[in-house]
Amino acid sequence: MRISVIGTGYVGVVHAACLANLGHEVLGVDIDEARIAALSQARAPIYEPGLDALLARTVREKRLRFSTSLAEAAQFARTHFVCVGTPQQPTGPAADMRYVDAVVDDIAPHLQPGSLIVGKSTVPVGTTARLAERLKTTTSHSEIAWNPEFLREGFAVHDTMHPERLVVGVTSPWAEARLREIYRPMVDAGVPFFSMAPSTAELVKAAANSFLATKISFINAMAEICEATGADVVTLADAVGEDARIGHQFLQPGLGFGGSCFPKDIRAFAARAEEIGVGEAVAFLHQVDEINIRQRRRTVDIARGLVGGSFAGRNVAVLGAAFKPGSDDVRDSPALDVAATIRDEGADVRVHDPEAVDNARPLFPELQYTLDVSKACEDADVLLHLTAWPEYRRISPAGLAATVRSPNILDARHGLDLAAWRSAGWTVRALGRATADDLRSAAPACTAEA
Ligand code: UDX
């Protein structure tokens, strides 16, 4: 089938390459000419495992090509996936729909009869219905459907090729049949295919992200209780997650969630619910957001305590800039938020990250960056572990103790063997973990930390 994919950001470029991999003929469209030029040479704008190889193969085999023209897309295909961004509005919590709206408005006059527009972006409930009205005024014989994606950064190709479920929000059997046809190899391989009303499909995405964000904030709320009572949240999460009804996933306590999805999606969902008069039903999402942001403040407070109550004139080493390990994405990164706050309070902050330094530098030029952990730690008064890259587990605490000015470490991601750091002479703190003596007795029971 011929398909266009409009918007070649994270979701779009992966989706386009994966559709081509399924055997379709795909045209990727973007207004960014430089990006389209690079993609035409099979150069990906992002790092995702497996993406470069997939692009190279599908472009070489001429199943995937790129253009900046929506009119060309409309002539080329009768199915158009819309994958442009829905960021938070600059002035409020709601989603900024201008990019999605513009794509629909701009392609509508060029559509062939029998075209299907399929939205993939995360949108406020009611968007498909609103856009269908808009489409009706410009064109007939075309429909709009919603097909949210659930991919995780770092696993984007895998999650797109092997989704846990396909969700389509459609208003006709015709639209459902076309989407089934597009995803046929996956459906034949047993991927559950859920067909529903567009509003339900839109809400599935909002609900899934809200649930996961709530789970993270729940365990971080427990971390605060643990800290106040001398208990240990890592041990608690291990034991609580063992209940199959709860599970271990998304129950990792720490500095909380960031990235391009969770923070903006829960705010947009709460704002949309308020707009339609059911704000109370998801009022807890405000708490989820607050708990999440509070972990950043708590991290700054504990770090300040470790350096004697003020950051003025202190050197602070930060391990991690990406919003999560395995990614070079720094959008709404909790680590950088903490680093920048500490810099504002008067410290010199040196940030290490194996992948994200180039993306972080333009956003926070006031921070110093290095690709060398020892350099970041030279003369540091405190070391902060803010993104759980696996390589940080391999750091030798004894070696680093000689590099810093004062051996203080705050583990805000629970990735380090704190007992080893303590035996090497470091003063150790961790979010939601007990004080030094208690931690010693808790550590042997805690399998996840080692
Ligand atoms: C997420 C959803 O998983 C995905 O389904 C959706 O489509 C987009 O948003 P992603 O943003 O790639 O994907 O990141 P994810 O791996 O889900 O992590 C989100 C954030 O939560 C990260 O900052 C991560 O560090 C944090 N997190 C995750 C925790 O703090 N604790 C956990 O237990 C899990």
Side-chain angles (χ1 to χ4, degrees):
M1 200 178 287
R2 288 177 158 204
I3 298 170
S4 93
V5 175
I6 302 161
T8 56
Y10 230 102
V11 173
V13 74
V14 174
H15 191 57
C18 289
L19 286 175
N21 192 46
L22 286 180
H24 301 296
E25 251 187 274
V26 183
L27 180 69
V29 182
D30 204 294
I31 50 172
D32 183 335
E33 290 182 8
R35 175 171 293 214
I36 288 301
L39 281 167
S40 301
Q41 308 289 315
R43 285 204 310 274
I46 51 166
Y47 173 72
E48 271 296 324
L51 180 60
D52 285 346
L54 202 58
L55 269 180
R57 185 158 51 77
T58 49
V59 168
R60 191 178 59 239
E61 290 171 357
K62 301 202 180 339
R63 278 182 283 144
L64 175 58
R65 58 191 186 84
F66 295 91
S67 163
T68 53
S69 165
L70 280 180
E72 185 185 344
Q75 285 313 303
F76 171 77
R78 284 189 297 130
T79 306
H80 307 282
F81 282 93
V82 179
C83 301
V84 295
T86 50
Q88 188 174 333
Q89 282 180 6
T91 51
D96 187 344
M97 295 302 295
R98 80 179 88 166
Y99 307 106
V100 172
D101 290 3
V103 167
V104 173
D105 288 348
D106 291 349
I107 200 170
H110 306 287
L111 288 174
Q112 304 175 53
S115 291
L116 180 66
I117 292 180
V118 189
K120 284 204 91 64
S121 319
T122 306
V123 290
V125 58
T127 295
T128 313
R130 180 175 65 75
L131 292 174
E133 281 304 309
R134 232 163 138 135
L135 202 60
K136 242 191 241 160
T137 60
T138 37
T139 175
S140 52
H141 314 301
S142 288
E143 263 187 50
I144 182 149
W146 221 263
N147 167 218
E149 54 73 28
F150 303 94
L151 64 82
R152 299 161 297 165
E153 290 189 19
F155 301 90
V157 172
H158 174 271
D159 288 355
T160 305
M161 289 310 296
H162 308 282
E164 285 173 317
R165 77 291 211 191
L166 288 158
V167 171
V168 302
V170 290
T171 47
S172 74
W174 167 81
E176 179 185 328
R178 183 170 294 182
L179 285 162
R180 264 187 197 280
E181 186 56 30
I182 288 170
Y183 291 120
R184 189 207 290 272
M186 294 176 182
V187 179
D188 286 352
V191 175
F193 183 93
F194 291 96
S195 179
M196 59 194 74
S199 55
T200 313
E202 291 159 348
L203 281 172
V204 168
K205 178 64 193 271
N209 275 0
S210 298
F211 187 85
L212 293 171
T214 302
K215 208 171 167 192
I216 298 169
S217 277
F218 176 84
I219 200 65
N220 285 335
M222 294 305 109
E224 292 183 38
I225 308 283
C226 283
E227 222 166 274
T229 54
D232 186 278
V233 73
V234 174
T235 311
L236 178 138
D238 273 352
V240 169
E242 206 54 35
D243 185 327
R245 295 167 301 177
I246 297 172
H248 290 287
Q249 289 194 48
F250 280 75
L251 205 62
Q252 287 155 26
L255 186 48
F257 57 80
S260 65
C261 284
F262 285 165
K264 70 145 176 103
D265 285 353
I266 60 168
R267 288 173 201 147
F269 188 25
R272 180 64 180 143
E274 274 155 35
E275 231 170 68
I276 52 189
V278 286
E280 236 175 295
V282 288
F284 68 92
L285 289 178
H286 295 296
Q287 288 273 317
V288 168
D289 199 4
E290 271 166 32
I291 293 167
N292 192 53
I293 296 298
R294 200 156 64 228
Q295 304 321 306
R296 304 178 187 189
R297 285 204 301 273
R298 277 170 17 86
T299 299
V300 173
D301 290 345
I302 296 171
R304 195 192 301 103
L306 279 169
V307 298
S310 165
F311 284 117
R314 299 297 189 183
N315 295 330
V316 176
V318 166
L319 296 182
F323 87 102
K324 68 173 185 181
S327 168
D328 65 356
D329 196 341
V330 296
R331 287 176 290 176
D332 202 343
S333 163
L336 284 176
D337 197 3
V338 166
T341 304
I342 290 175
R343 170 74 177 74
D344 285 349
E345 289 193 26
D348 264 355
V349 181
R350 234 173 280 154
V351 180
H352 172 273
D353 192 286
E355 297 292 340
V357 160
D358 287 343
N359 289 338
R361 194 178 276 116
L363 291 181
F364 296 95
E366 69 275 24
L367 303 172
Q368 299 166 52
Y369 298 94
T370 172
L371 293 173
D372 181 341
V373 170
S374 325
K375 280 227 165 58
C377 294
E378 261 168 30
D379 293 328
D381 295 295
V382 64
L383 173 57
L384 310 180
H385 177 236
L386 304 185
T387 307
W389 286 99
E391 59 211 78
Y392 295 150
R393 287 169 180 261
R394 296 191 289 271
I395 292 173
S396 151
L400 219 50
T403 308
V404 296
R405 188 151 64 187
S406 315
N408 295 312
I409 180 161
L410 168 54
D411 184 2
R413 288 295 185 184
H414 307 303
L416 306 176
D417 179 352
L418 294 182
W421 283 79
R422 187 170 299 116
S423 350
W426 290 72
T427 300
V428 167
R429 288 292 310 268
L431 286 185
R433 303 211 72 177
T435 52
D437 286 348
D438 293 342
L439 182 62
R440 249 197 299 278
S441 56
C446 167
T447 47
E449 190 214 344

